[in-house]
Amino acid sequence: MSLIACKNASFGYEGNAVIGNLDFEINPGDYLCIVGENGSGKSTLIKGLLGLKTAVGGNVFISKEFCLNQTGYLPQQTAAQKDFPASVYEAVISGRLGQRGFLPFYSRKDKYAAQENMRSLNIWDLRNKCYAELSGGQQRRTLLARALCAAGKLLLLDEPASGLDPTATREMYGLIKTLNAGGMSIIMVSHDINAALKCASHILHLQKCGAAQNLNCQNTQAFFGKTQDYIKSSVAADFTGGKIYD
Amino acid sequence: MIDTLSEMFSYAFIVRAFIVGLLISLCSSLLGVSLVLKRYSMIGDGLSHVGFGALAVAAALSAAPLSVAVPAVVVAAFVLLRISENTKIKGDAAIALISTSSLAIGVAVVSLTTGMNTDVCNYMFGSILAMSKSDVNLSAALAVCVLILFVVFYNKIFAVTFDETFARATGVKTGIYNMLIAFLTAITIALGMRMMGALLISSLIIFPALTAMRVFKKFKSVTICAAIISVICFFAGIVCSYLYATPAGASVVIINIAAFLLFSAAGFARRRFRSKTFFKRGQI
Ligand SMILES: Nc1ncnc2c1ncn2[C@@H]1O[C@H](COP(=O)(O)OP(=O)(O)OP(=O)(O)O)[C@@H](O)[C@H]1O
Ligand SMILES: [Mg+2]
């Protein structure tokens, strides 16, 4: 039983597809990495899978097991404004809300989960600081902790490593690997191709479409399959310039 | 001072106005935090003009004012939400659109029927005498409902205000909570405008939130502080209005301005103080 399956699906903005003819399948426990150059539509695909954008064409099958309130999401950018009065703790624990349904207040379990995630991302000491007054990387960690709070079965991460220092990046990949080993499905967008190849079980490579002004793009899926197969493919060789370390 | 207060509260109409006003200030300051942060500051202004139009129509039909105004304002709030969600018209433009339209309709209706009398003037600038006993009961009941709903859905309101996209992506029904905020705001404004006046009710929404944000940096502290500021300013404003025979609405707003200036100064001093100590430590 697959978690998500796209059959000939396309996603885009205002009826205009920027990614087209996607065919792939994600099973529970998979670790999928989405790679591709800037503007190839990786973030658009993530939003499409989350239902923030409806598919322009084709079919997207989403299993009953994949319910949004068991899903964590780290956006590439947030609209959260400058000057917003919210503490790190308030921002992180708000990730638990989806799982609460209509229940109004946080339980002890929610508070514990928030604390655990803040500790594992080294932001526990910052919990009472104002989110808007943190550095870029600290904000990123806060949003990552929030995504972890929300993730029950599936975690979607859009460039989780951007803005993190090397130690934090390493720890973050380790953390995600552990979660995946514990049974959580991961979908991650990353430009760090070596890390992607090391961690992921599957790779989805998107390419830019040739059409003028990105109008009604078709066939933008360059590769989908197991990581071992990707390493051997010509797509990977072109994308990395033939330099794959392991 | 005690004498003045006891004299003041010996008038039944003042006590009534006071209770309702206190509840309205509390509701509007709590909702205001979310509205200001969602860039909906002017919603109070817009909806109170709708309320003005509705009250003018109610007067023309000689219907009970609140029974026309509350539904009209609630409908307007939903329409506003829909417009700014689904079309390219931005929130502020949508508010201006609805506000000026209903003001025009209200003025037209007034001049066709009763003419610009004191009643209409009261709608514009507010009057504590405008509250009848049944108004007070209805207002108090609705205001208590607004308060309870706000407390129960506080966490959701935070999530929808802080990052709506994330909330939606993780399965929070943001549409419902946005509607809830619009609904609570509409009721608060319809109730408050009779007392504060269509022109001043939006200040009850904006001022306490902005004032609290000068000093506090957490959503919870800002919310609690805004509620306290709003209640204190309302109390002080009503007392001033009694002492100097000024209009209730205007007096409350002036006290709110004073509080805003005070908190701005406090926030500024705090930042200054912090950077100074940092500088000294740096020099040693
Ligand atoms: N809001 C929008 N409206 C219209 N077009 C958009 C919008 N956002 C993105 N696009 C277009 O969709 C295409 C894919 O954008 P997307 O953000 O998904 O790229 P990406 O693969 O995530 O790139 P990056 O690696 O830079 O994050 C781009 O060509 C972009 O111009
Ligand atoms: Mg992107």
Side-chain angles (χ1 to χ4, degrees), chain B residues 150-207:
Chain B
F150 183 88
V151 172
V152 167
F153 291 109
Y154 165 81
N155 287 319
K156 261 78 171 187
I157 290 176
F158 168 79
V160 170
T161 312
F162 181 63
D163 192 344
E164 194 174 332
T165 319
F166 175 85
R168 194 141 49 96
T170 53
V172 176
K173 307 255 180 309
T174 53
I176 293 180
Y177 297 112
N178 272 329
M179 255 159 40
L180 179 77
I181 296 175
F183 180 70
L184 298 182
T185 309
I187 291 189
T188 306
I189 286 165
L191 297 178
M193 62 172 288
R194 302 216 59 208
M195 189 169 175
M196 299 296 290
L199 294 177
L200 301 175
I201 181 73
S202 60
S203 64
L204 268 190
I205 290 192
I206 303 171
F207 267 111

Side-chain angles (χ1 to χ4, degrees), chain B residues 7-283:
Chain B
E7 182 195 324
M8 190 179 136
F9 286 111
S10 65
Y11 296 102
F13 76 93
I14 293 190
V15 174
R16 283 208 295 265
F18 187 78
I19 293 170
V20 175
L22 219 56
L23 287 167
I24 301 281
S25 335
L26 207 55
C27 294
S28 53
S29 61
L30 293 176
L31 290 165
V33 176
S34 176
L35 292 171
V36 166
L37 289 167
K38 273 168 102 57
R39 299 285 182 266
Y40 270 124
S41 295
M42 290 314 282
I43 198 171
D45 208 47
L47 290 182
S48 60
H49 287 124
V50 174
F52 169 75
L55 288 176
V57 172
L61 301 173
S62 51
L66 278 185
S67 63
V68 177
V70 172
V73 174
V74 169
V75 169
F78 284 147
V79 170
L80 222 100
L81 198 70
R82 279 267 162 267
I83 293 181
S84 47
E85 257 176 16
N86 295 347
T87 59
K88 295 255 166 190
I89 304 177
K90 283 274 164 284
D92 58 342
I95 289 171
L97 208 71
I98 288 196
S99 136
T100 46
S101 319
S102 41
L103 196 59
I105 293 172
V107 169
V109 169
V110 164
S111 58
L112 281 178
T113 54
T114 51
M116 277 287 178
N117 55 20
T118 42
D119 268 0
V120 178
C121 204
N122 281 345
Y123 297 150
M124 297 298 274
F125 298 108
S127 157
I128 49 174
L129 296 168
M131 308 295 289
S132 74
K133 210 164 202 161
S134 64
D135 278 354
V136 170
N137 292 342
L138 181 64
S139 305
L142 284 176
V144 170
C145 289
V146 170
L147 279 180
I148 291 174
L149 284 172
F150 183 88
V151 172
V152 167
F153 291 109
Y154 165 81
N155 287 319
K156 261 78 171 187
I157 290 176
F158 168 79
V160 170
T161 312
F162 181 63
D163 192 344
E164 194 174 332
T165 319
F166 175 85
R168 194 141 49 96
T170 53
V172 176
K173 307 255 180 309
T174 53
I176 293 180
Y177 297 112
N178 272 329
M179 255 159 40
L180 179 77
I181 296 175
F183 180 70
L184 298 182
T185 309
I187 291 189
T188 306
I189 286 165
L191 297 178
M193 62 172 288
R194 302 216 59 208
M195 189 169 175
M196 299 296 290
L199 294 177
L200 301 175
I201 181 73
S202 60
S203 64
L204 268 190
I205 290 192
I206 303 171
F207 267 111
L210 281 184
T211 305
M213 276 180 230
R214 292 311 99 197
V215 172
F216 293 98
K217 298 283 175 203
K218 275 190 202 179
F219 196 76
K220 194 179 249 169
S221 342
V222 168
T223 308
I224 292 172
C225 175
I228 294 173
I229 292 172
S230 186
V231 166
I232 292 176
C233 288
F234 178 79
F235 184 83
I238 291 291
V239 173
C240 286
S241 136
Y242 180 78
L243 289 179
Y244 303 108
T246 46
S251 320
V252 173
V253 175
I254 288 174
I255 303 282
N256 265 303
I257 296 174
F260 177 76
L261 294 178
L262 200 73
F263 272 65
S264 301
F268 182 72
R270 207 165 92 162
R271 278 196 302 278
R272 262 313 268 277
F273 179 69
R274 266 197 204 154
S275 57
K276 249 203 189 126
T277 48
F278 180 75
F279 188 52
K280 262 186 203 148
R281 228 180 278 148
Q283 272 188 332

Side-chain angles (χ1 to χ4, degrees), chain A residues 43 76 158-159:
Chain A
S43 303
Q76 185 173 12
D158 199 341
E159 299 191 20

